[in-house]
Amino acid sequence: MEVKKLFFVIFLLSGTGLLAQKKQPSEAAMQRAQKKEERKEKINQLIKQEEEGALIFNKQNAFSINLNTDGWGLKFEKGKYKTITTTNIMWLELGERKHPKEERIPTLSSSGGFILISNYIYGKQNNFYYLNLGFGQQKLIGGKGNKNGIAVSAIYGGGITAGLLKPYYLEVQNQQTGVREQIKYDGTNASTFLDPNGILGKGGLFKGFGEMKFVPGAHAKLALRFDYGRYNELLSAIEVGVNASYYSQKMPILLLNEEKNFFFNAYAAFTFGRRK
């Protein structure tokens, strides 16, 4: 009888141990719970920071689509946190600058029994692209106040710029041979290049890239950024500002118009990115 009781006690203890082991969470479940708790704590910290009106982070990466008064631009920006109100930033921007008097002319022509529809810009000598490398600062003016608020920052800085002139080609019909050919302005063919009766349209999309000319210069910018991103880890903003650029030589864009070294424009940009 005593032996039976002993076996019963051992069986009871063993079953209790198995149940305890089953109830103990797995290592993977514990890791998931820990990550969830860390994420919750991070969100609480972000909310607290925003309630205090601060933008606190280590670094940020952002992309922008710029709509300029004289063209367009695409920009990549990196930022490094310095103080609660100051971030050091650098940017790389690629875009195209257009002459304010550019006029697009539609054309109709025939080839091989087909009607071809095209267009060209009358008198355009070069496509003017630019590549800006800049350094500056982002200065916090007003914090968000809450998670649905807007942070306002001033951005200023400058750097070097590369003006890139790509010859603009036209497709014309040779008056002597009747053959279609593509030409660029070379200083001796103005009568053909500016004769709308002989122009069939613009040249090929990539025509002239191998002849691109580099012109160095400098640029500066001043802007306001309105950041409405949710929490500090997201950057979603609208930026408005002005740009000034100066090149080492006058930039020929449109024939029959004055060439200049200095360019000034205003812009609006849609900016998005992340902070860490």
Side-chain angles (χ1 to χ4, degrees):
M1 191 68 177
E2 293 295 330
V3 174
K4 289 183 178 180
K5 287 182 179 180
L6 180 61
F7 276 114
F8 177 75
V9 170
I10 293 173
F11 175 77
L12 185 62
L13 291 174
S14 300
T16 304
L18 289 173
L19 287 173
Q21 290 179 0
K22 288 182 179 179
K23 289 181 179 179
Q24 184 177 358
S26 66
E27 184 177 349
M30 292 175 66
Q31 290 178 351
R32 287 195 298 269
Q34 183 178 357
K35 289 181 179 178
K36 185 177 180 180
E37 187 63 29
E38 290 175 353
R39 175 64 179 171
K40 183 179 178 180
E41 179 62 25
K42 183 178 180 181
I43 293 295
N44 289 336
Q45 290 177 359
L46 292 171
I47 293 173
K48 183 179 179 181
Q49 291 169 10
E50 290 195 349
E51 287 175 347
E52 296 171 352
L55 288 176
I56 299 176
F57 54 92
N58 291 320
K59 59 184 178 179
Q60 68 182 25
N61 294 325
F63 294 90
S64 296
I65 301 172
N66 289 21
L67 303 177
N68 306 332
T69 52
D70 62 355
W72 57 270
L74 300 174
K75 182 179 69 177
F76 172 70
E77 176 188 300
K78 289 185 71 69
K80 180 70 174 177
Y81 178 85
K82 185 179 180 182
T83 70
I84 195 170
T85 59
T86 305
T87 301
N88 291 331
I89 58 175
M90 65 171 291
W91 61 85
L92 186 67
E93 181 180 351
L94 173 67
E96 182 178 7
R97 198 182 304 279
K98 299 182 179 182
H99 196 282
K101 293 185 179 180
E102 289 187 11
E103 181 182 2
R104 194 172 295 276
I105 309 296
T107 61
L108 288 175
S109 62
S110 61
S111 179
F114 293 95
I115 300 297
L116 302 178
I117 302 174
S118 185
N119 61 73
Y120 69 96
I121 298 174
Y122 182 77
K124 191 172 181 72
Q125 184 178 352
N126 291 290
N127 288 103
F128 178 9
Y129 302 102
Y130 65 87
L131 182 65
N132 292 342
L133 174 62
F135 303 88
Q137 288 189 330
Q138 175 179 322
K139 204 82 170 178
L140 182 65
I141 298 174
K144 292 188 176 184
N146 57 67
K147 68 179 181 179
N148 296 317
I150 296 176
V152 182
S153 301
I155 295 176
Y156 51 88
I160 58 176
T161 183
L164 306 171
L165 294 173
K166 181 187 80 67
Y168 186 81
Y169 275 81
L170 291 177
E171 185 169 14
V172 301
Q173 188 165 20
N174 190 299
Q175 298 300 321
Q176 297 179 348
T177 64
V179 177
R180 300 169 71 105
E181 58 185 15
Q182 296 190 35
I183 66 170
K184 65 177 181 178
Y185 178 74
D186 61 10
T188 65
N189 58 357
S191 59
T192 302
F193 197 83
L194 296 175
D195 180 11
N197 296 318
I199 298 175
L200 304 176
K202 63 183 177 182
L205 179 62
F206 299 103
K207 187 74 173 176
F209 273 101
E211 307 169 68
M212 193 173 289
K213 181 180 179 181
F214 164 78
V215 181
H219 80 281
K221 68 180 292 183
L222 179 64
L224 286 175
R225 176 175 291 174
F226 303 89
D227 185 355
Y228 54 87
R230 188 170 184 264
Y231 304 130
N232 290 341
E233 60 186 356
L234 295 180
L235 197 167
S236 300
I238 295 175
E239 184 179 316
V240 292
V242 291
N243 287 307
S245 301
Y246 183 85
Y247 296 90
S248 61
Q249 71 173 55
K250 292 185 176 181
M251 309 297 277
I253 306 174
L254 201 65
L255 293 173
L256 308 178
N257 287 273
E258 182 183 1
E259 300 173 3
K260 57 182 181 178
N261 303 71
F262 179 75
F263 295 86
F264 181 84
N265 67 23
Y267 74 92
F270 300 94
T271 303
F272 50 92
R274 293 190 69 87
R275 299 186 179 99
K276 295 182 181 179

